[in-house]
Amino acid sequence: MNEWPEGWSDDDGPRYGRGSAGAQPEGAQVMRQVRRGGQVPPGQRAPGGRGRPSAPPQVPRQPSYVDGGEGQNYADGPAGYDSGYNTGQVYGSPGGGGPAGPGGTSPRGPRPAPNWRRRIKWTAITLATVVVVTSVATYFWADSKLHRDVDLSKVIDRPAGGEGTNYLIVGSDSRAGLSAEDKKKLHTGSAEGKRTDSMMILHVGDNGDTLISLPRDSDVEIPSYKGAESGKTYPATGRRTKLNAAYAEDGPTLLVRTIEYNTGLHIDHYVEIGFAGFANIVDAVGGVEMTIDKPFKDKWSGADFQAGKQTLNGQQALAFVRTRHAFAASDLQRTKNQQKFLSALAHEVATPSTVLNPFKFYPTMGSGLDSLIVDKDMGLWDLASMFWAMKGVSGGDGTSMNMPISGSRGGNLVWDKAKVKTLVDELKNDEKVTVTGN
């Protein structure tokens, strides 16, 4: 029985397939057979194997693909294809190796120098972005702290507006937010309601800024007005009283109405600060340096000052601006001290040590803005304009004065009508002020 697969024979004659006449495909060789186990020497039969002895393997020579040459290896001669494996130059430089090869050198060359222009550009862009984002965030934070509680649209029969901007700045004796201990320490007392301790008109214009103090004991006529809460119109009766009584009677809107009626000057914005807010601002800024010409003491305000240069804290500053009983000129001297201190405070807040120090700037801004009461149309730009104008006045770039006084009536101070008219006309036309006050 033939043990070879069908189509094969153990005869020595060459065969190719079943029924072959000995023909083989062109160039065909004996197929190399792969067997399991160790290699069998040529001419021998595998142990226990069957069939013919194994023939020595014959591997055909591969044709060359360069210039149609035949029998030529890839790296045979200059015309052959050299893959680089024979010389070790697969990667890297001709010297062999490369980044991944032994002993190779990097083909990249030296590391390029830093592009400083690009770095500076992106650093500047980053810093500018931080500044813009911080500024926008600060703006909205500050804007949210303003208490826009005064509606000037309720003021009736108002005079026409003029050139420039007129601010009415009021310091009230409001004790809101003060504990019993605070009231005792600040010598504020515990009176109910609110009154005005100071009133000033600040005119901001192109021909110099002007700060005018209105004594609280000024003799004025209460005009007709619309009640801030009731909405009822109260007719004029010719009643005369102290200026601060108008505020006590119906608040900021009646105070604005009374000032406009007695001066003919249009008030554009209203700003008010109470006792607690004033003291907190001074403490937040680290105190205000003042030069006091003469020593004075007042049990009512708690003032006890020696002459000379000194730094006032919040409690001392409040006593300084409230004192009037220690002076012969009483309220007139107090208004001068108020102007002097507010100008010094504005100068202190605007120093680089405050503006550029976030640990000082934000507490100062927070204390100031959170304690302010302003009109509904007041914006941060208006507030900044007012602040810088006050700083300018303190630096000698404007005029600081009291309302001109001609005498007194029943203990109240009477304004000089002729001077007041000239002063108001100059402010309306934004002209340089020529009138002097007391």
Coordinates of all heavy atoms in Angstrom, one line a residue, residues 324-389:
R324 N -18.2 122.7 68.1 CA -18.5 124.1 67.9 C -18.6 124.9 69.2 O -18.4 126.1 69.2 CB -19.9 124.2 67.2 CG -21.1 123.7 67.9 CD -22.4 124.0 67.2 NE -23.5 123.5 67.9 CZ -24.7 124.0 67.8 NH1 -24.9 125.0 67.0 NH2 -25.8 123.4 68.4
H325 N -18.8 124.3 70.3 CA -18.9 125.0 71.6 C -17.6 125.5 72.0 O -17.6 126.5 72.8 CB -19.5 124.1 72.7 CG -20.9 123.6 72.4 ND1 -22.0 124.5 72.5 CD2 -21.4 122.4 72.0 CE1 -23.1 123.8 72.2 NE2 -22.8 122.6 71.9
A326 N -16.5 125.0 71.5 CA -15.2 125.5 72.0 C -14.7 126.7 71.2 O -13.7 127.3 71.5 CB -14.2 124.4 71.8
F327 N -15.5 127.2 70.2 CA -15.1 128.3 69.4 C -16.0 129.5 69.6 O -17.3 129.3 69.7 CB -15.1 127.9 67.9 CG -14.3 126.6 67.6 CD1 -14.9 125.5 67.0 CD2 -13.0 126.5 68.0 CE1 -14.2 124.4 66.8 CE2 -12.3 125.3 67.8 CZ -12.9 124.2 67.2
A328 N -15.4 130.7 69.5 CA -16.3 131.9 69.6 C -17.1 132.0 68.4 O -18.3 132.5 68.4 CB -15.3 133.1 69.7
A329 N -16.6 131.6 67.2 CA -17.4 131.7 66.0 C -18.4 130.5 65.8 O -19.1 130.5 64.8 CB -16.5 131.8 64.8
S330 N -18.4 129.6 66.8 CA -19.3 128.5 66.8 C -19.4 127.8 65.5 O -18.4 127.2 65.0 CB -20.7 129.0 67.3 OG -21.6 127.9 67.5
D331 N -20.6 127.8 64.8 CA -20.8 127.0 63.7 C -19.9 127.4 62.5 O -19.6 126.5 61.7 CB -22.3 127.1 63.3 CG -22.8 125.9 62.5 OD1 -22.3 124.8 62.8 OD2 -23.6 126.1 61.6
L332 N -19.6 128.7 62.4 CA -18.7 129.1 61.3 C -17.3 128.5 61.4 O -16.7 128.1 60.3 CB -18.6 130.6 61.2 CG -19.9 131.4 60.8 CD1 -19.6 132.9 60.9 CD2 -20.3 131.0 59.4
Q333 N -16.8 128.4 62.6 CA -15.5 127.8 62.7 C -15.6 126.3 62.5 O -14.7 125.6 62.0 CB -14.9 128.0 64.1 CG -13.6 127.4 64.4 CD -12.5 127.9 63.5 OE1 -12.4 129.2 63.2 NE2 -11.7 127.0 62.9
R334 N -16.7 125.7 62.9 CA -16.9 124.2 62.7 C -16.9 123.9 61.2 O -16.3 122.9 60.8 CB -18.2 123.8 63.4 CG -18.4 122.3 63.1 CD -19.5 121.7 64.0 NE -20.8 122.2 63.7 CZ -21.9 121.7 64.2 NH1 -21.9 120.7 65.0 NH2 -23.1 122.2 63.9
T335 N -17.6 124.7 60.4 CA -17.6 124.4 59.0 C -16.2 124.5 58.4 O -15.9 123.7 57.4 CB -18.6 125.4 58.3 OG1 -18.2 126.7 58.5 CG2 -20.0 125.2 58.7
K336 N -15.4 125.4 58.9 CA -14.0 125.5 58.3 C -13.2 124.3 58.7 O -12.5 123.8 57.9 CB -13.3 126.8 58.9 CG -13.9 128.1 58.4 CD -13.2 129.3 59.0 CE -13.8 130.6 58.5 NZ -13.2 131.8 59.1
N337 N -13.4 123.8 59.9 CA -12.7 122.6 60.3 C -13.2 121.4 59.5 O -12.4 120.5 59.2 CB -12.9 122.3 61.8 CG -12.1 123.3 62.7 OD1 -11.2 124.0 62.3 ND2 -12.5 123.3 64.0
Q338 N -14.5 121.3 59.2 CA -15.0 120.2 58.4 C -14.4 120.2 57.0 O -14.0 119.2 56.5 CB -16.5 120.4 58.3 CG -17.2 120.1 59.7 CD -18.7 120.4 59.6 OE1 -19.2 121.1 58.7 NE2 -19.4 120.0 60.6
Q339 N -14.3 121.4 56.4 CA -13.7 121.5 55.1 C -12.2 121.1 55.2 O -11.7 120.3 54.3 CB -13.8 122.9 54.6 CG -15.2 123.3 54.2 CD -15.2 124.7 53.6 OE1 -14.2 125.4 53.6 NE2 -16.3 125.1 53.0
K340 N -11.5 121.5 56.2 CA -10.1 121.2 56.3 C -9.9 119.7 56.5 O -9.0 119.1 55.8 CB -9.6 121.9 57.5 CG -8.1 121.8 57.8 CD -7.6 122.6 58.9 CE -6.1 122.5 59.2 NZ -5.7 123.3 60.3
F341 N -10.7 119.1 57.3 CA -10.6 117.6 57.5 C -10.9 116.8 56.3 O -10.2 115.9 55.9 CB -11.4 117.2 58.7 CG -11.1 115.7 59.0 CD1 -10.1 115.3 59.8 CD2 -12.0 114.7 58.5 CE1 -9.8 114.0 60.1 CE2 -11.7 113.4 58.8 CZ -10.6 113.0 59.6
L342 N -12.1 117.1 55.7 CA -12.5 116.4 54.5 C -11.5 116.4 53.4 O -11.2 115.4 52.6 CB -13.9 116.9 54.0 CG -15.1 116.5 54.9 CD1 -16.3 117.1 54.4 CD2 -15.2 115.0 55.1
S343 N -10.9 117.6 53.2 CA -9.8 117.7 52.2 C -8.6 116.8 52.5 O -8.0 116.2 51.6 CB -9.4 119.2 52.0 OG -10.5 120.0 51.6
A344 N -8.2 116.8 53.8 CA -7.1 116.0 54.2 C -7.5 114.5 54.1 O -6.6 113.7 53.7 CB -6.8 116.3 55.7
L345 N -8.7 114.1 54.3 CA -9.1 112.7 54.2 C -9.1 112.3 52.7 O -8.6 111.2 52.4 CB -10.6 112.6 54.7 CG -11.2 111.2 54.5 CD1 -10.4 110.1 55.2 CD2 -12.6 111.2 55.1
A346 N -9.6 113.2 51.8 CA -9.5 112.9 50.4 C -8.1 112.7 49.9 O -7.8 111.8 49.1 CB -10.2 114.0 49.6
H347 N -7.2 113.5 50.4 CA -5.8 113.4 50.0 C -5.2 112.1 50.5 O -4.4 111.5 49.8 CB -5.0 114.6 50.6 CG -3.6 114.6 50.3 ND1 -3.1 114.9 49.0 CD2 -2.5 114.2 51.0 CE1 -1.7 114.8 49.0 NE2 -1.4 114.4 50.2
E348 N -5.5 111.7 51.7 CA -5.0 110.5 52.3 C -5.5 109.3 51.6 O -4.7 108.3 51.3 CB -5.4 110.4 53.8 CG -4.8 109.2 54.5 CD -3.3 109.2 54.6 OE1 -2.8 110.3 54.7 OE2 -2.7 108.1 54.6
V349 N -6.8 109.3 51.2 CA -7.3 108.1 50.5 C -6.7 108.0 49.1 O -6.5 106.8 48.6 CB -8.9 108.3 50.3 CG1 -9.4 107.2 49.4 CG2 -9.5 108.2 51.7
A350 N -6.3 109.1 48.5 CA -5.8 109.0 47.1 C -4.3 108.8 47.1 O -3.7 108.7 46.0 CB -6.0 110.4 46.4
T351 N -3.6 108.5 48.2 CA -2.2 108.3 48.2 C -1.9 106.9 47.6 O -2.7 106.0 47.7 CB -1.6 108.4 49.6 OG1 -2.3 107.5 50.4 CG2 -1.7 109.8 50.1
P352 N -0.7 106.7 47.0 CA -0.4 105.3 46.4 C -0.4 104.3 47.5 O -0.7 103.1 47.2 CB 1.0 105.5 45.9 CG 1.1 107.0 45.5 CD 0.3 107.7 46.6
S353 N 0.0 104.6 48.8 CA 0.0 103.6 49.8 C -1.4 103.0 50.1 O -1.5 101.9 50.6 CB 0.6 104.2 51.1 OG -0.3 105.3 51.6
T354 N -2.5 103.8 49.7 CA -3.8 103.3 49.9 C -4.3 102.7 48.6 O -4.9 101.5 48.6 CB -4.8 104.4 50.3 OG1 -4.3 105.0 51.6 CG2 -6.2 103.9 50.5
V355 N -4.2 103.3 47.5 CA -4.8 102.9 46.2 C -4.1 101.6 45.8 O -4.8 100.7 45.2 CB -4.6 104.0 45.2 CG1 -5.1 103.5 43.8 CG2 -5.4 105.2 45.6
L356 N -2.8 101.5 45.9 CA -2.0 100.3 45.4 C -1.9 99.2 46.4 O -1.3 98.1 46.1 CB -0.6 100.7 45.0 CG -0.6 101.8 43.9 CD1 0.9 102.2 43.6 CD2 -1.3 101.4 42.7
N357 N -2.5 99.3 47.6 CA -2.5 98.3 48.6 C -3.9 97.7 48.8 O -4.7 98.3 49.4 CB -2.0 98.8 49.9 CG -1.9 97.8 51.0 OD1 -2.2 96.6 50.8 ND2 -1.4 98.1 52.2
P358 N -4.1 96.5 48.2 CA -5.5 95.9 48.2 C -5.9 95.7 49.7 O -7.1 95.7 49.9 CB -5.3 94.6 47.4 CG -3.9 94.3 47.4 CD -3.2 95.6 47.5
F359 N -5.0 95.4 50.6 CA -5.4 95.2 52.0 C -5.9 96.5 52.7 O -6.5 96.4 53.8 CB -4.3 94.5 52.8 CG -3.9 93.2 52.2 CD1 -2.7 93.1 51.4 CD2 -4.6 92.1 52.4 CE1 -2.4 91.8 50.9 CE2 -4.3 90.8 51.9 CZ -3.1 90.7 51.2
K360 N -5.6 97.6 52.1 CA -6.0 98.9 52.6 C -7.1 99.5 51.7 O -8.0 100.2 52.2 CB -4.8 99.8 52.7 CG -5.0 101.0 53.6 CD -3.6 101.8 53.7 CE -3.8 103.0 54.6 NZ -2.5 103.8 54.7
F361 N -6.9 99.3 50.4 CA -7.8 100.0 49.5 C -9.3 99.4 49.6 O -10.2 100.2 49.7 CB -7.3 99.7 48.1 CG -8.3 100.2 47.0 CD1 -8.4 101.6 46.7 CD2 -9.0 99.3 46.2 CE1 -9.3 102.1 45.8 CE2 -9.9 99.8 45.2 CZ -10.0 101.2 45.0
Y362 N -9.4 98.1 49.6 CA -10.8 97.5 49.7 C -11.5 97.7 51.0 O -12.7 98.0 51.0 CB -10.7 96.0 49.3 CG -10.5 95.8 47.8 CD1 -9.3 95.4 47.3 CD2 -11.6 95.9 46.9 CE1 -9.1 95.3 45.9 CE2 -11.4 95.7 45.6 CZ -10.1 95.4 45.1 OH -10.0 95.2 43.7
P363 N -10.8 97.6 52.1 CA -11.5 98.0 53.4 C -11.9 99.5 53.4 O -13.0 99.8 53.9 CB -10.5 97.7 54.5 CG -9.6 96.7 53.9 CD -9.5 97.0 52.4
T364 N -11.1 100.4 52.8 CA -11.5 101.8 52.8 C -12.7 102.0 51.9 O -13.6 102.7 52.2 CB -10.3 102.6 52.3 OG1 -9.2 102.4 53.2 CG2 -10.6 104.1 52.3
M365 N -12.6 101.4 50.7 CA -13.7 101.5 49.8 C -15.0 100.9 50.3 O -16.1 101.5 50.2 CB -13.4 100.8 48.4 CG -12.4 101.5 47.6 SD -13.2 102.8 46.5 CE -14.0 101.7 45.4
G366 N -14.8 99.8 51.0 CA -16.0 99.1 51.5 C -16.6 99.9 52.6 O -17.9 100.1 52.7
S367 N -15.8 100.5 53.5 CA -16.3 101.3 54.6 C -17.0 102.5 54.1 O -18.1 102.9 54.6 CB -15.2 101.6 55.6 OG -14.6 100.5 56.2
G368 N -16.4 103.2 53.1 CA -17.0 104.4 52.6 C -18.2 104.2 51.8 O -19.3 104.8 52.1
L369 N -18.2 103.3 50.9 CA -19.4 103.1 50.0 C -20.6 102.5 50.7 O -21.7 102.9 50.5 CB -19.0 102.2 48.8 CG -18.0 102.7 47.9 CD1 -17.5 101.7 46.8 CD2 -18.5 104.0 47.1
D370 N -20.3 101.6 51.7 CA -21.4 101.0 52.4 C -22.1 101.9 53.3 O -23.2 101.7 53.7 CB -20.8 99.8 53.2 CG -21.9 98.8 53.6 OD1 -22.8 98.6 52.8 OD2 -21.9 98.4 54.8
S371 N -21.4 103.0 53.7 CA -22.1 104.0 54.6 C -22.6 105.2 53.9 O -23.2 106.1 54.6 CB -21.0 104.4 55.7 OG -19.9 105.0 55.0
L372 N -22.5 105.3 52.6 CA -23.0 106.4 51.9 C -24.5 106.2 51.5 O -24.9 105.1 51.1 CB -22.2 106.7 50.6 CG -20.8 107.2 50.8 CD1 -20.1 107.4 49.4 CD2 -20.8 108.5 51.5
I373 N -25.3 107.3 51.5 CA -26.6 107.4 51.0 C -26.6 108.4 49.8 O -26.2 109.5 50.0 CB -27.6 107.8 52.0 CG1 -27.7 106.7 53.1 CG2 -29.0 108.0 51.4 CD1 -28.6 107.1 54.3
V374 N -27.0 108.0 48.6 CA -26.9 108.9 47.5 C -28.2 108.9 46.8 O -29.2 108.1 47.1 CB -25.8 108.4 46.5 CG1 -24.4 108.4 47.2 CG2 -26.1 107.0 46.0
D375 N -28.3 109.8 45.7 CA -29.6 109.8 44.9 C -29.6 108.7 43.9 O -28.5 108.1 43.6 CB -29.7 111.2 44.3 CG -28.6 111.4 43.2 OD1 -27.5 112.0 43.6 OD2 -28.8 111.1 42.1
K376 N -30.7 108.4 43.4 CA -30.9 107.3 42.5 C -30.2 107.4 41.2 O -29.9 106.4 40.5 CB -32.4 107.1 42.2 CG -33.2 106.7 43.4 CD -34.7 106.4 43.0 CE -35.5 106.0 44.3 NZ -35.0 104.8 44.9
D377 N -29.8 108.6 40.8 CA -29.1 108.8 39.5 C -27.6 108.9 39.7 O -26.8 109.1 38.8 CB -29.5 110.1 38.8 CG -31.0 110.1 38.4 OD1 -31.4 108.9 38.0 OD2 -31.7 111.1 38.4
M378 N -27.1 108.7 40.9 CA -25.7 108.8 41.2 C -25.0 107.5 40.8 O -25.4 106.4 41.1 CB -25.4 109.0 42.7 CG -24.0 108.9 43.1 SD -23.0 110.4 42.7 CE -23.3 111.4 44.1
G379 N -23.9 107.7 40.0 CA -23.1 106.6 39.5 C -21.7 106.7 40.1 O -21.3 107.7 40.7
L380 N -20.9 105.6 40.0 CA -19.6 105.6 40.5 C -18.7 106.7 39.9 O -17.8 107.2 40.5 CB -18.9 104.2 40.3 CG -19.4 103.1 41.2 CD1 -18.8 101.8 40.9 CD2 -19.2 103.4 42.7
W381 N -18.9 107.0 38.6 CA -18.1 108.0 37.9 C -18.5 109.4 38.6 O -17.6 110.2 38.7 CB -18.4 108.0 36.4 CG -17.9 106.8 35.7 CD1 -18.7 105.9 35.1 CD2 -16.5 106.4 35.6 NE1 -17.8 104.9 34.6 CE2 -16.6 105.1 34.9 CE3 -15.3 106.9 36.1 CZ2 -15.4 104.4 34.6 CZ3 -14.2 106.1 35.8 CH2 -14.2 105.0 35.1
D382 N -19.7 109.6 38.9 CA -20.1 110.9 39.5 C -19.4 110.9 40.9 O -18.9 112.0 41.3 CB -21.6 110.9 39.7 CG -22.3 110.9 38.4 OD1 -22.0 111.7 37.5 OD2 -23.3 110.0 38.2
L383 N -19.4 109.8 41.6 CA -18.8 109.8 42.9 C -17.3 110.0 42.9 O -16.7 110.8 43.7 CB -19.1 108.5 43.6 CG -19.0 108.4 45.1 CD1 -19.9 109.4 45.8 CD2 -19.2 107.0 45.6
A384 N -16.7 109.4 41.9 CA -15.2 109.6 41.7 C -14.9 111.1 41.3 O -13.9 111.6 41.8 CB -14.7 108.7 40.6
S385 N -15.8 111.7 40.5 CA -15.6 113.1 40.1 C -15.7 114.0 41.3 O -14.9 114.9 41.5 CB -16.6 113.5 39.1 OG -16.5 114.9 38.8
M386 N -16.6 113.7 42.2 CA -16.8 114.5 43.4 C -15.5 114.3 44.3 O -15.0 115.3 44.9 CB -18.0 114.0 44.2 CG -18.3 114.8 45.5 SD -19.5 113.9 46.5 CE -18.4 112.7 47.3
F387 N -15.1 113.1 44.4 CA -13.9 112.8 45.3 C -12.7 113.5 44.8 O -12.0 114.2 45.6 CB -13.7 111.3 45.4 CG -12.4 110.9 46.1 CD1 -12.4 110.9 47.5 CD2 -11.3 110.6 45.4 CE1 -11.3 110.5 48.1 CE2 -10.1 110.3 46.0 CZ -10.1 110.2 47.4
W388 N -12.4 113.5 43.5 CA -11.2 114.1 43.0 C -11.3 115.6 43.0 O -10.3 116.3 43.2 CB -10.9 113.6 41.5 CG -10.4 112.2 41.5 CD1 -11.1 111.1 41.0 CD2 -9.2 111.7 41.9 NE1 -10.4 110.0 41.2 CE2 -9.2 110.3 41.7 CE3 -8.1 112.3 42.5 CZ2 -8.1 109.6 42.0 CZ3 -7.0 111.6 42.8 CH2 -7.0 110.2 42.6
A389 N -12.5 116.1 42.9 CA -12.7 117.6 43.1 C -12.4 118.0 44.5 O -11.7 119.1 44.7 CB -14.1 118.0 42.7

